[in-house]
Amino acid sequence: MTFSIHGLAVARGIAIGRAVLMGTGGVDVAHYFIEADRVEAEIERIRVSRDAVAEELHRLQLTIAQMGPKEAPHELSALLDVHLMLLQDEELISGVKHWITDRLYNAEWALTTQLEVLSRQFDEMEDEYLRGRKADLEQVADRVLRHMAGVASPVAPPPAVARRKSQQDLLMDDSMDVPLVLISHDLSPADMLQFKQSVFAGFVTDVGGRNSHTAIVARSMDIPAVVGARSASQLVRQDDWVIIDGDSGVMIVDPSPIILAEYGFKQRQGELDRGRLSRLRHTPAVTLDGQKVELLANIEMPEDAPAAVKAGAVGVGLFRSEFLFMGRRKLPDEEEQFLAYLRAVQGMEGLPVTIRTIDVGADKPLDESLRDVAHLNPALGLRAIRWSLADPAMFLTQLRAILRAAAHGPVSMLIPMLAHASEIRQTLALIDFARTELDNRGVAHGPVKIGAMIEIPAAALTLKIFLKYFDFLSLGTNDLIQYTLAIDRADESVAHLYDPLHPAVLRLVADTIAECNRQGKMVSVCGEMAGDVAMTRLLLGLGLRCFSMHPAQILAVKQEVLRADTTRLAPWAAQVVDADDPAALLGG
């Protein structure tokens, strides 16, 4: 019987094959008290297993180092580093010793008990990315438990067995090798490496979020994947025919021949489309009439930089530095920030990186304890540059870290949510002060271009003031729409009124681009509008020549750029901006 299971779409594409179920990884753990004279021996037993797992992970890293980036991307090695760090985590080690020494638990019991303690701490974290690291901790503990039990971590396709041909077999021509897809409760980075070396065409996991390591690796490998499918590993039977729709986040089990044929066509069409787009990676983004267009990437962590390069980005147009600050008990110091920015600069291999200073508040609180509940409109309160100027010591720390990173490659600095000339002058004075502090300390720093986000109508209406002070501007269309239309973009009840094509929004966008072009200042769009292919022709027609977006959108937008003639688009774009109903003309 055909049925579907819904999860989160994390890596695009369609995979069709027979299901291989991987065990949940749960190892039966014995619980017993040890004699007091066994404490040291029990601690030694778990230490030996921990060291053996560390050696195993190091061997996997060596294997990765011998592979090409397509076989084993950078993210995989970085995730193994995370597991190695967790193995050495002091809170994990001291906790296990505590349960063995003070409670006389056996080693396995002590490990699972401490795992529960730490898991609760991860559960309480607000930041989704950090909450997702709980799965890494569970996998590290599972690996140690497996070693203690003498059980291997199995990610291998089952041996071929003779079976009666089903309708799907006949439809898929079972004379060929039948693809296999992996269904699991979760997958560790080490499992993923073996997974990559095997024959699996896609995977589904019961758990995981958009920022889980499985999702990160799947995207980097470009493998169709669905995570968070809850009970998928319990509902699917070994060897079932399965379709993974990584575009929609759906798994279809035991599909009928008609559904199978439909998805087979969709799969072939998708492969053709992606193949065509991938050939554009090294093609310069130039319009039919010879206008050169810069396609940049938005990133949230330094580890995103390699994916941006792989996608064909010619730089980072928006590094959201606030993700370095969120979901943690202590703000990162200057050295930690400097190293993070440096990794991003190095990851971009000489291409320019634009780092936005911290933009927190409203829908991006640093921590639940800091959530603004005292004000009715936190989006209009102390956020972004207002927050930074209210805490000069924190802001100067970030400014110094950015200036230091600029000594190692081309770096620009982007200031969010400015509205007043006084804020501009105060910000620039602090940047000068940060330079002076580094000079006094004898610390190297580099030149930076300084830009401002245009995301408040007041800023868009006083552009000449901004252009007097800044080297470039960047339109943050998400907030610009929110503030222009008085729509809280986090409020589902008014989400239908959030309209990028509202005439007022388009007027602000058009006038900002025109004024920057008139004064010879660079302007980009870094909001969702930049990555929406339905908007590419309009923005080109308005004179935009720099787009910054999620790396996954770059090639699709480039395709639109290559097909565009800006001399023909310009008069049409002017009509769209002047129209009462711009959406009606967008397809023209």
Side-chain angles (χ1 to χ4, degrees):
M1 181 185 71
T2 300
F3 64 95
S4 59
I5 300 172
H6 293 255
L8 296 172
V10 294
R12 62 185 182 175
I14 306 290
I16 304 174
R18 286 190 173 276
V20 174
L21 293 179
M22 188 178 124
T24 59
V27 177
D28 289 337
V29 173
H31 300 75
Y32 57 88
F33 293 102
I34 60 172
E35 298 294 333
D37 60 359
R38 286 282 308 161
V39 166
E40 289 304 319
E42 207 65 6
I43 291 175
E44 178 65 8
R45 198 160 67 84
I46 199 165
R47 187 190 65 76
V48 168
S49 292
R50 183 198 65 187
D51 291 348
V53 170
E55 282 185 27
E56 184 181 320
L57 295 178
H58 281 304
R59 283 197 300 273
L60 285 170
Q61 284 191 314
L62 287 175
T63 305
I64 291 173
Q66 295 168 358
M67 295 179 176
K70 192 170 182 181
E71 295 174 300
H74 166 78
E75 289 86 345
L76 204 49
S77 182
L79 289 169
L80 290 177
D81 278 336
V82 171
H83 280 205
L84 283 166
M85 282 192 290
L86 288 171
L87 276 173
Q88 304 298 330
D89 181 74
E90 183 55 34
E91 202 167 350
L92 178 63
I93 294 170
S94 60
V96 170
K97 286 181 178 175
H98 158 72
W99 297 116
I100 295 175
T101 305
D102 297 350
R103 296 286 184 87
L104 299 179
Y105 288 179
N106 64 302
E108 292 88 344
W109 189 5
L111 177 57
T112 54
T113 301
Q114 186 59 18
L115 174 64
E116 289 174 9
V117 170
L118 297 177
S119 293
R120 281 199 296 273
Q121 294 177 10
F122 278 101
D123 286 338
E124 291 169 359
M125 291 179 177
E126 273 301 300
D127 183 72
E128 185 186 357
Y129 177 84
L130 295 175
R131 215 167 43 241
R133 302 286 71 78
K134 172 186 169 184
D136 291 289
L137 183 65
E138 291 172 340
Q139 290 166 356
V140 165
D142 180 70
R143 223 168 176 86
V144 174
L145 290 170
R146 281 182 175 280
H147 187 273
M148 296 176 79
V151 179
S153 180
V155 186
V161 294
R163 58 172 179 261
R164 184 180 171 189
K165 288 186 177 181
S166 67
Q167 286 180 301
Q168 288 94 340
D169 290 332
L170 296 171
L171 192 66
M172 288 287 293
D173 182 8
D174 209 22
S175 59
M176 57 178 250
D177 291 335
V178 177
L180 301 176
V181 297
L182 187 64
I183 314 296
S184 174
H185 180 69
D186 199 3
L187 290 169
S188 73
D191 291 335
M192 289 292 289
L193 177 61
Q194 292 170 280
F195 165 57
K196 177 60 185 172
Q197 292 171 316
S198 68
V199 296
F200 299 115
F203 69 85
V204 174
T205 60
D206 294 342
V207 298
R210 296 188 195 282
N211 290 314
S212 64
H213 63 251
T214 45
I216 293 168
V217 174
R219 281 194 290 270
S220 68
M221 289 180 166
D222 213 9
I223 298 170
V226 174
V227 303
R230 298 170 185 265
S231 53
S233 66
Q234 297 172 26
L235 296 174
V236 178
R237 297 170 305 177
Q238 198 77 255
D239 217 33
D240 272 348
W241 271 101
V242 164
I243 296 172
I244 298 175
D245 185 341
D247 299 319
S248 305
V250 176
M251 174 172 65
I252 301 171
V253 184
D254 194 19
S256 67
I258 293 176
I259 294 175
L260 202 56
E262 180 185 336
Y263 271 91
F265 174 77
K266 198 172 173 183
Q267 183 184 41
R268 290 190 295 278
Q269 192 62 45
E271 288 168 355
L272 286 172
D273 291 343
R274 292 164 68 183
R276 278 194 289 267
L277 283 179
S278 67
R279 289 198 292 270
L280 300 179
R281 183 188 163 196
H282 299 293
T283 303
V286 180
T287 62
L288 293 173
D289 56 315
Q291 293 291 313
K292 185 179 177 184
V293 178
E294 285 188 60
L295 300 180
L296 308 171
N298 295 345
I299 66 172
E300 292 167 356
M301 299 296 285
E303 290 70 26
D304 297 334
V309 174
K310 183 180 175 185
V314 296
V316 169
L318 177 64
F319 178 0
R320 297 183 171 103
S321 67
E322 56 271 20
F323 281 84
L324 300 175
F325 292 70
M326 295 165 71
R328 47 188 298 163
R329 295 172 182 170
K330 185 180 174 186
L331 298 183
D333 61 19
E334 180 183 323
E335 189 65 16
E336 182 180 344
Q337 289 188 59
F338 161 67
L339 292 174
Y341 304 142
L342 179 62
R343 288 201 304 278
V345 170
Q346 292 172 336
M348 289 307 296
E349 303 173 6
L351 296 170
V353 176
T354 299
I355 302 171
R356 181 175 68 185
T357 59
I358 184 169
D359 182 5
V360 293
D363 59 335
K364 292 182 284 189
L366 274 184
D367 187 271
E368 181 63 27
S369 61
L370 300 176
R371 184 177 288 276
D372 187 353
V373 295
H375 303 91
L376 291 177
N377 296 305
L380 305 181
L382 192 65
R383 55 165 299 197
I385 190 61
R386 300 170 185 174
W387 193 80
S388 295
L389 294 178
D391 189 349
M394 180 284 301
F395 192 36
L396 283 167
T397 299
Q398 180 175 38
L399 295 176
R400 289 193 301 269
I402 294 173
L403 292 168
R404 287 174 59 190
H408 300 270
V411 170
S412 297
M413 189 186 300
L414 186 58
I415 312 298
M417 212 181 163
L418 288 163
H420 302 272
S422 59
E423 290 175 325
I424 295 173
R425 289 191 288 271
Q426 193 177 353
T427 300
L428 296 179
L430 284 170
I431 294 172
D432 286 340
F433 189 73
R435 285 196 187 98
T436 303
E437 286 184 312
L438 292 172
D439 287 337
N440 291 340
R441 284 165 42 190
V443 176
H445 59 90
V448 293
K449 290 183 178 178
I450 301 172
M453 297 280 294
I454 300 299
E455 50 192 343
I456 301 175
L461 293 169
T462 54
L463 279 177
K464 290 181 180 175
I465 296 175
F466 280 74
L467 290 170
K468 193 159 58 175
Y469 290 100
F470 291 104
D471 300 310
F472 67 96
L473 300 180
S474 184
L475 278 155
T477 50
N478 301 345
D479 271 336
L480 185 62
I481 296 166
Q482 168 173 260
Y483 292 128
T484 302
L485 303 182
I487 299 296
D488 183 348
R489 57 192 172 110
D491 185 344
E492 293 179 4
S493 63
V494 292
H496 62 287
L497 297 174
Y498 184 87
D499 182 11
L501 289 172
H502 189 287
V505 174
L506 290 183
R507 173 53 57 198
L508 293 175
V509 170
D511 288 352
T512 299
I513 295 171
E515 186 61 28
C516 286
N517 288 342
R518 198 157 30 242
Q519 296 201 25
K521 293 286 182 82
M522 198 272 277
V523 59
S524 67
V525 170
C526 63
E528 292 297 317
M529 197 182 276
D532 183 351
V533 292
M535 304 294 288
T536 306
R537 294 166 66 245
L538 176 61
L539 292 172
L540 287 170
L542 294 176
L544 188 73
R545 299 293 180 265
C546 185
F547 298 64
S548 190
M549 68 204 83
H550 189 284
Q553 292 300 114
I554 287 177
L555 293 178
V557 171
K558 184 185 283 189
Q559 181 172 255
E560 292 296 313
V561 169
L562 296 174
R563 294 171 174 173
D565 181 338
T566 61
T567 59
R568 300 179 63 180
L569 289 176
W572 165 76
Q575 289 178 17
V576 173
V577 172
D578 288 337
D580 292 342
D581 183 9
L585 296 180
L586 197 62

